[in-house]
Amino acid sequence: MTDVDTAQLAGRKVIVTGGAGFIGSHLCEALVDIGAEVICMDDLSAGKRDNVAHLENRSNRPNFRFAELDVCDSGPAMDAVFEGVDTVFHNAASKKNICLINPHRDLDVNAGGALNLLQMSMKHGVRKFVQASTGSVYGEPQIFPTTETHPFEPVSYYGVSKLAGERYVDVFHKLYGLDTTILRYFHVYGPRQESNEFGGVVSIFLRRITQGQNPIVFGHGEQVRSFTWVKDLVEANLRAALSPRATGQAFNAASGIRVTINELAKGMLEILDPQQKLAVEHGEPLIGDIMEFDVSNTKIREELGIEFEGDFWGTLKTALADIDSFLGKTDKAEAAA
Ligand SMILES: NC(=O)c1ccc[n+]([C@@H]2O[C@H](COP(=O)([O-])OP(=O)(O)OC[C@H]3O[C@@H](n4cnc5c(N)ncnc54)[C@H](O)[C@@H]3O)[C@@H](O)[C@H]2O)c1
């Protein structure tokens, strides 16, 4: 493992697509702190300007700007944003539940958007392209622990379209020598994750419990998840952007821990409902829901030196000490409504 000094990103112009979303906003925050010139590109279809308001309003650090753009846009506004860019962190996506509603839009954004940004990157001499992908490209895993060489058998529109995005990234590396890295995320949790039906399970349970409603588990609840702390993914992105060992590679970016949805629901009730007024409820199973995850993160730990947070309950308890900031401003208002 080569050590990576992420401070090297200071002064470099970077684009974070999906920067007003959950993971993207944390990445923007870290890059602003490092001193990079950060352009947060988002069409606000799912993200919120509120998620980055604290970065926009920092008069002492004017190294952040917001560009309201669709990643599929190839017009002059996109060219202007790409001028002088060193690194693209491509995090924008049409997410899993949205894909079920509108698979054509999902294909446009997750595959076409990646292709457009890759073309823009070549046109403007971008040095590095980091692609946020997903464990959904493997489908229901057949080989455990699941390494990066697992066959691609997606079982959702989302998995198919994200895989197409990945394949474009690979083609640009192989055909044109673009320096690319693919990070496959799994079950990310942390503050500002959407808590509506398009959000993550931790935030959804949190919102329901704080509203005095039972958490609803889809199906039997023995689905295993490898919950990964959002700050670890930020570190993975920063290191991927700089390490020569990341060039042309794909990495599982997962904590490797295993928690079932039943355990999550019960554990969150213990933390948030000590009076035991609420109970776990079971609903219909979700179409394409993956049951078993046992993800190998050996490659990213060895090659990029990422140390994943292994204390899921400890980290969650600390983060939940400030429920308002966990749910984010708008979610909080919606929860109260
Ligand atoms: N959260 C997870 O557990 C998880 C797991 C696996 C992979 N991922 C991947 O991580 C990335 C970030 O996910 P997230 O959880 O932060 O989701 P999110 O929905 O919070 O963020 C995605 C952002 O992309 C923006 N966006 C969507 N379509 C766009 C478009 N056409 N142009 C510009 N912006 C657009 C949305 O407005 C939103 O702000 C995505 O690529 C997702 O596929 C997330």
Side-chain angles (χ1 to χ4, degrees):
M1 195 266 293
T2 45
D3 209 21
V4 178
D5 179 9
T6 54
Q8 286 174 50
L9 287 163
R12 300 196 200 188
K13 194 167 168 186
V14 302
I15 294 174
V16 179
T17 72
F22 162 46
I23 301 167
S25 65
H26 286 274
L27 186 53
C28 285
E29 207 168 76
L31 287 161
V32 165
D33 283 344
I34 286 170
E37 294 296 320
V38 182
I39 300 165
C40 167
M41 183 190 294
D42 206 296
D43 69 351
L44 299 178
S45 55
K48 301 177 202 124
R49 199 89 183 235
D50 264 353
N51 283 342
V52 287
H54 60 299
L55 302 175
E56 288 192 85
N57 299 333
R58 291 215 283 204
S59 53
N60 58 337
R61 289 201 215 177
N63 56 332
F64 176 87
R65 89 182 161 85
F66 182 79
E68 188 167 343
L69 268 176
D70 183 332
V71 291
C72 303
D73 185 333
S74 55
M78 188 60 94
D79 275 318
V81 166
F82 263 83
E83 200 61 49
V85 166
D86 174 81
T87 304
V88 174
F89 296 94
H90 179 31
N91 269 262
S94 166
K95 297 278 293 296
K96 205 165 194 165
N97 308 11
I98 300 175
C99 297
L100 282 174
I101 299 165
N102 191 349
H104 291 285
R105 174 67 184 156
D106 153 47
L107 183 62
D108 289 347
V109 174
N110 294 352
L115 173 60
N116 183 44
L117 295 171
L118 288 159
Q119 287 179 312
M120 281 285 161
S121 296
M122 289 306 299
K123 184 174 171 185
H124 291 276
V126 164
R127 180 192 61 86
K128 180 81 201 192
F129 192 97
V130 183
Q131 165 84 359
S133 188
T134 165
S136 298
V137 297
Y138 301 129
E140 181 75 55
Q142 304 299 321
I143 304 164
F144 302 102
T146 303
T147 67
E148 290 79 358
T149 56
H150 190 284
F152 299 126
E153 304 269 358
V155 289
S156 59
Y157 299 142
Y158 174 71
V160 170
S161 63
K162 291 289 287 187
L163 179 58
E166 270 202 20
R167 302 284 76 191
Y168 280 124
V169 170
D170 241 19
V171 164
F172 275 71
H173 173 66
K174 292 197 174 102
L175 281 189
Y176 308 118
L178 183 64
D179 186 345
T180 60
T181 302
I182 294 164
L183 297 174
R184 296 187 186 125
Y185 304 168
F186 293 76
H187 320 132
V188 191
Y189 71 103
R192 298 198 287 272
Q193 183 164 34
E194 197 63 69
S195 67
N196 60 23
E197 72 270 35
F198 302 123
V201 63
V202 173
S203 293
I204 293 172
F205 284 177
L206 173 63
R207 179 175 175 171
R208 288 190 65 86
I209 295 168
T210 52
Q211 284 177 323
Q213 296 172 322
N214 293 332
I216 299 175
V217 169
F218 297 122
H220 52 56
E222 289 307 302
Q223 303 92 316
V224 173
R225 298 293 179 252
S226 186
F227 290 110
T228 305
W229 180 232
V230 65
K231 305 279 185 200
D232 293 340
L233 286 185
V234 168
E235 188 63 22
N237 271 274
L238 301 179
R239 285 173 180 244
L242 293 167
S243 171
R245 302 182 75 137
T247 298
Q249 298 295 317
F251 297 96
N252 287 340
S255 66
I257 61 174
R258 290 161 53 81
V259 177
T260 68
I261 301 296
N262 283 334
E263 285 167 347
L264 178 72
K266 284 183 199 141
M268 287 188 71
L269 283 176
E270 274 166 32
I271 301 172
L272 298 160
D273 179 41
Q275 315 284 323
Q276 298 182 6
K277 289 186 185 141
L278 304 174
V280 178
E281 239 179 73
H282 287 264
E284 287 298 308
L286 281 183
I287 301 168
D289 200 13
I290 293 172
M291 293 297 143
E292 177 64 18
F293 282 98
D294 181 4
V295 187
S296 167
N297 59 14
T298 305
K299 183 175 174 184
I300 196 166
R301 284 194 291 107
E302 287 184 353
E303 298 294 316
L304 300 187
I306 305 293
E307 293 298 332
F308 287 96
E309 184 53 71
D311 178 12
F312 172 68
W313 290 110
T315 312
L316 188 63
K317 270 185 199 153
T318 310
L320 290 184
D322 185 354
I323 288 177
D324 286 355
S325 81
F326 200 99
L327 281 178
K329 238 186 192 168
T330 321
D331 286 352
K332 201 182 79 187
E334 282 164 7

